[in-house]
Amino acid sequence: MKIKVVLEPSDEGGYTAYVPSLPGCISEGENIDEALMNIQEAIELYLEPLEEDTSFGESAIVRELVL
């Protein structure tokens, strides 16, 4: 899966990283490499399925897709 990440210099130093296609998925780092490492972890957590989410009906069919 390819995800576009935007890196912007922070006023306080370092970089802020965010993912336009994942609202609220944002992180930061002291340098570009650290910001990329941190945003990758944030993306993985953002996309992690909620095991407790059972808001669907009993007759629902649940499938997983690999992208």
Side-chain angles (χ1 to χ4, degrees), residues 36-48:
L36 286 172
M37 188 171 60
N38 291 340
I39 196 65
Q40 181 173 346
E41 182 179 1
I43 292 167
E44 290 169 358
L45 292 171
Y46 189 102
L47 296 177
E48 186 175 88

Side-chain angles (χ1 to χ4, degrees), residues 13-56:
Y15 289 86
T16 299
Y18 64 94
V19 182
S21 62
L22 302 175
C25 189
I26 187 169
S27 192
E28 57 188 8
E30 292 185 22
N31 55 51
I32 291 175
D33 290 334
E34 185 177 305
L36 286 172
M37 188 171 60
N38 291 340
I39 196 65
Q40 181 173 346
E41 182 179 1
I43 292 167
E44 290 169 358
L45 292 171
Y46 189 102
L47 296 177
E48 186 175 88
L50 298 177
E51 301 273 333
E52 306 85 35
D53 186 11
T54 57
S55 60
F56 42 83

Side-chain angles (χ1 to χ4, degrees), residues 1-25:
M1 175 186 297
K2 290 184 179 185
I3 296 179
K4 186 178 291 187
V5 173
V6 178
L7 295 158
E8 294 182 341
S10 296
D11 293 337
E12 304 84 29
Y15 289 86
T16 299
Y18 64 94
V19 182
S21 62
L22 302 175
C25 189

